[in-house]
Amino acid sequence: MQTVSKSKRTRWALRDVLLLAFVAVFIGFIFWILGPVYNILSAALTPFGLAPFANDMILGGWMMAAPLASILIRQAGAGILGEVFAAAVEMLIGGQWGVATLLSGLVQGIGSEAGFALLGYKDWHWRGIFVSAFTGAVITFVWSLFRDGYASYHIGLLIGLFLTRFVSLLFFGGVLVIAIQKLIEKSGVLKRG
Amino acid sequence: MNPLIKFGTIMIIALELTFIKSVTINLILVCISALLYLVLKINWRQWLWLVLLPILPGLGSWFSLMYFGTGDHVHMAWVMLTRVFAYLWLGGLFTLKLTDERTLFLETLAQRAHLSTTFVYALVGVLNFIPAVNQQIKTIRIAAQMRGNTLHIWHPQLYFKAILSAIRWSQNLAEGMVSHGFTEGARRTHLTVVHIKKHDWIIATIILVAFQILLLPHWY
């Protein structure tokens, strides 16, 4: 059983930081192991010009470290830190985007964190999780307009991409995170003290 | 060059690159990185990695911008293709050398950037666990397969079990660190004191200023 510190102080306890880092590394690796599947899908869509859909489809998965860190640690900044940790690991094990991974990780962390922040860091259950999935989709999409050249796409494709990303975040960052939270709460492995 | 200064310089250029729509700038950055790699003497596998890895995401963007772009989308398609290379080649300057420079990088973070030692040592600890994490995920999936369940990325059980491992390991590591004398928030003395040399700052400034000047002409 792990006790997560309940303090409202901004000082980070060692065990919280370690838990957050480990969760980030695990999430990063789960999606890293499945990387070949993503690459095949993306390669198959490339000749049709639909490769960005592969990216948006799985983005919610890449971003899971943020909401998971938030619901586990329940502290402001946990989402950003978790996602930056995950991105740093991805960069180190050789992600395709090099240094840009870290920048994207920061943006994704801010996107997910914004949802919990909007609710004043009070709701760590389904409402907060869904709001965070929504802000995550919007903020990362704005980033993609610049970084991935999305701003040059037809409006039709843009809408399609946004919907894909939104559904991906609703599923991975919303439904799945809530299911994981239920399992954790049922098992009683976390104690808040 | 101190790895933290190098990291900062690279991150600033990468951030600017996100908003720069220029094929020429991207290619110049790739060429400069290539020259630096020649000086750094990387092995052929690292060269292969640098050449092959960006191809898929680069072509992915290229094709879709060619098909579904509007405005100056042909130009943007080439920008995206070269940008992915620029990101990776730039980043490689930091990451490919990190194995040798990791300790110095983390020491600089703690001593010069004054990042809390909790974060620095947590990072050190967790980085060492990376191979074990890889193994643990395989174990979780194989263990489930032995019971006839295949855990896919959409199964909450997969993450739940991963989080259980994360909880157990983080607790063990925290206990291990404390029992080896780590005290949160305590003032530390350093065996090797890191100094950032003045000429590191000067080189970084020159690189960044030169890069801004490079941006002035209207490149393709």
Side-chain angles (χ1 to χ4, degrees), chain B residues 17-108:
Chain B
L17 219 53
T18 307
F19 301 97
I20 297 166
K21 295 179 193 169
S22 164
V23 179
T24 324
I25 301 273
N26 291 341
L27 289 178
I28 290 173
L29 286 174
V30 170
C31 290
I32 293 174
S33 311
L35 283 176
L36 288 170
Y37 286 130
L38 285 176
V39 178
L40 292 171
K41 291 195 179 57
I42 56 170
N43 61 38
W44 66 271
R45 286 183 59 188
Q46 290 172 320
W47 278 110
L48 201 68
W49 179 79
L50 282 170
V51 173
L52 292 183
L53 204 60
I55 288 182
L56 189 62
L59 280 183
S61 299
W62 188 84
F63 271 100
S64 41
L65 279 160
M66 280 298 200
Y67 288 169
F68 300 110
T70 88
D72 61 343
H73 64 104
V74 178
H75 172 237
M76 199 56 203
W78 289 106
V79 171
M80 277 312 299
L81 182 59
T82 48
R83 185 185 283 174
V84 182
F85 277 88
Y87 277 148
L88 190 80
W89 286 56
L90 260 184
L93 289 174
F94 173 69
T95 47
L96 290 181
K97 280 283 141 193
L98 197 62
T99 354
D100 312 330
E101 289 179 340
R102 185 197 275 180
T103 319
L104 184 59
F105 179 66
L106 292 166
E107 283 287 335
T108 318

Side-chain angles (χ1 to χ4, degrees), chain B residues 98-163:
Chain B
L98 197 62
T99 354
D100 312 330
E101 289 179 340
R102 185 197 275 180
T103 319
L104 184 59
F105 179 66
L106 292 166
E107 283 287 335
T108 318
L109 272 181
Q111 293 180 28
R112 295 271 76 89
H114 299 294
L115 185 67
S116 136
T117 46
T118 306
F119 286 99
V120 176
Y121 285 87
L123 200 59
V124 175
V126 174
L127 284 177
N128 286 317
F129 267 91
I130 285 182
V133 169
N134 192 3
Q135 190 53 45
Q136 182 67 10
I137 293 168
K138 284 184 191 145
T139 310
I140 290 171
R141 298 189 81 200
I142 292 168
Q145 244 155 15
M146 289 168 96
R147 280 181 233 107
N149 304 318
T150 307
L151 291 181
H152 292 288
I153 43 167
W154 53 85
H155 284 132
Q157 265 85 6
L158 175 62
Y159 302 94
F160 174 61
K161 285 176 180 167
I163 288 171

